[in-house]
């Protein structure tokens, strides 16, 4: 029995991008996307601003050594089951530099078009995603991906990210360098043992990616009724991603504990047009750590849920209260 390609790709998409399952916003037919806008105000003389769209100030509710583990499940009648696992970590500058060096050794670009600042003083975030369970095996989906992102330590704006994407026997390597003040990014990509493809794409002065989005969101007060104006860059696209803080608070029970959590709703806009279906919800613990404890996407009868199943916090004062 072979399942429809769209269903297989849905599972693959969710695990590749656990932060934004189903965020496949498309420009309306026959319309041309507008150019990316600056972060907080119209660009001056063609130069985008580099300020984030809301204040970001240390101390942050995370530190090097933090580790969060999530389990994702899939449900669409009559199928349901475990989809995979996601592990998010805050890593040291040395670990980030070492990981980048290892990827450069694999890709072997003719010119290093994407250097990291030296010495590296920013923060770095690491993610590992992989399929697990009967359902991915049934759908013939086997994903083992690894991600690394480096941000400015002052405002958590993205500087650099890299990906090692493995699906069965295929492997794709990617490095992206954000030139914040120039409004552009350089992408180096290699599939298999082929040549390195280099692209220069437009960029915002300040942005997040799928790894850093969750950490930036955790720095913001979750005031009911507030709209947090996030910006996200993925592949060729730049999204405005407003996060609506709802007045709803729920008691979320997971294998990592029971948390009092605030419900958030995410929406997606690409280049001034919006076209997305379904709902995308996130529950964040109402404590100093502001842990994302549950994420849920629903569309066309499909429900994908991710839950926090384990965590390690290196700042004891931020340890959430585990309710019974």
């Amino acid at each position: 029995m072979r399942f429809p390609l769209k269903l297989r790709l849905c599972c693959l998409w969710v695990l590749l991008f656990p932060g934004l399952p189903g965020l496949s916003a498309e420009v309306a037919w026959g319309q041309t996307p507008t150019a990316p806008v600056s972060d907080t105000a119209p660009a001056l003389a063609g130069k985008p601003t580099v300020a984030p769209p809301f204040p970001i100030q240390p101390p942050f509710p995370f530190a090097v050594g933090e580790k969060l583990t999530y389990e994702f499940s899939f449900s669409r009648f009559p199928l349901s089951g475990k989809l995979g696992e996601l592990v998010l970590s805050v890593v040291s500058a040395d670990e980030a530099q070492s990981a980048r060096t290892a990827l450069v050794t694999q890709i072997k670009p003719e010119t290093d078009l994407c250097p990291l600042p030296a010495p590296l003083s920013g923060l770095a975030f690491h993610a590992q995603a992989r399929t697990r369970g009967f359902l991915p095996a049934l759908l013939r989906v086997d994903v083992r991906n690894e991600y690394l992102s480096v941000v400015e330590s002052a405002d958590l704006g993205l500087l650099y990210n890299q990906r090692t994407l493995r699906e069965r026997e295929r492997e794709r390597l990617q490095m992206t360098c954000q030139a914040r003040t120039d409004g552009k990014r350089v992408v180096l990509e290699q599939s298999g043992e082929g040549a390195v493809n280099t692209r220069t794409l437009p960029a915002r002065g300040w942005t997040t990616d799928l790894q850093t989005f969750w950490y930036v969101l955790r720095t913001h007060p979750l005031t009911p009724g507030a709209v947090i104006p996030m910006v996200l860059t993925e592949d060729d696209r730049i999204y405005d991603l407003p996060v609506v803080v709802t007045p709803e608070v729920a008691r979320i029970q997971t294998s990592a504990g029971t948390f009092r959590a605030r419900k958030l709703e995410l929406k997606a806009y690409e280049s001034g047009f919006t076209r997305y279906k379904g709902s995308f919800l996130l529950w964040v613990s109402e404590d100093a750590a502001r842990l994302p404890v549950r994420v849920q996407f629903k569309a066309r009868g499909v429900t994908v849920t991710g839950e926090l199943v384990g965590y390690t916090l290196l700042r004891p004062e931020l340890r959430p209260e585990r309710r019974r």
Side-chain angles (χ1 to χ4, degrees), residues 64-97:
V64 172
E66 179 185 281
K67 181 179 178 180
L68 309 177
T69 302
Y70 295 86
E71 184 176 286
F72 281 79
S73 60
F74 172 95
S75 176
R76 181 178 184 179
F77 183 81
L79 293 174
S80 65
K82 185 175 178 180
L83 183 60
E85 181 182 81
L86 171 70
V87 180
L88 302 176
S89 306
V90 185
V91 299
S92 68
D94 288 344
E95 288 179 87
Q97 194 69 262

Side-chain angles (χ1 to χ4, degrees), residues 10 65 84 114 121 126 150 189-190 263 281 288-289 298 300 309:
C10 176
C114 199
S121 58
H126 180 260
V150 178
E189 189 172 60
Q190 181 188 65
K263 179 181 174 182
L281 304 173
K298 291 185 177 182
R300 297 182 179 180
V309 296

Side-chain angles (χ1 to χ4, degrees), residues 114-127:
C114 199
L116 283 176
L120 181 61
S121 58
L123 292 169
F125 305 103
H126 180 260

Side-chain angles (χ1 to χ4, degrees), residues 112-154:
D112 190 354
L113 299 175
C114 199
L116 283 176
L120 181 61
S121 58
L123 292 169
F125 305 103
H126 180 260
Q128 290 179 303
R130 64 176 301 173
T131 50
R132 288 182 183 272
F134 170 75
L135 186 58
L138 187 65
L139 297 174
R140 298 178 59 82
V141 175
D142 180 17
V143 174
R144 292 163 290 112
N145 294 340
E146 191 168 356
Y147 311 84
L148 176 74
S149 299
V150 178
V151 300
E152 289 274 12
S153 57

